[in-house]
Amino acid sequence: SVEADVTDADAVTQAVKKVEAQLGAVLGIVSAAGHYETATIDEVTDFQWHHMLRVHVGGFLHVTRAALPGMIHRGGGAIVAI
């Protein structure tokens, strides 16, 4: 099992390298990381809001950016964002 904090670009890059070393080429990505705050929109703090964006949007960017070079090198792959 490989785990990484998707908000940390370096951790994600290292995780992708570990996956490729252990299992071979990354042929596809399913980006399904999520974080939800229980606060309503009028109660959510800026920190909570930005953390959700770092997980949802930043996580997708970090994982895709880490795996994409290998996919391009192999001539393709699949990226799915949920």
Side-chain angles (χ1 to χ4, degrees):
S1 144
V2 176
E3 296 180 19
D5 176 352
V6 296
T7 66
D8 181 340
D10 292 333
V12 171
T13 298
Q14 292 306 312
V16 169
K17 287 179 182 179
K18 185 175 180 181
V19 166
E20 291 181 328
Q22 291 179 359
L23 303 173
V26 173
L27 303 175
I29 300 167
V30 176
S31 180
H35 174 76
Y36 176 73
E37 292 291 341
T38 57
T40 61
I41 194 70
D42 60 326
E43 296 171 336
V44 69
T45 67
D46 286 348
F47 176 82
Q48 291 169 316
W49 178 252
H50 290 286
H51 183 67
M52 284 190 294
L53 290 175
R54 282 192 307 273
V55 171
H56 293 258
V57 180
F60 173 77
L61 172 69
H62 296 154
V63 173
T64 301
R65 193 167 31 192
L68 192 59
M71 289 181 176
I72 291 170
H73 178 73
R74 286 180 292 284
I79 301 170
V80 177
I82 297 174

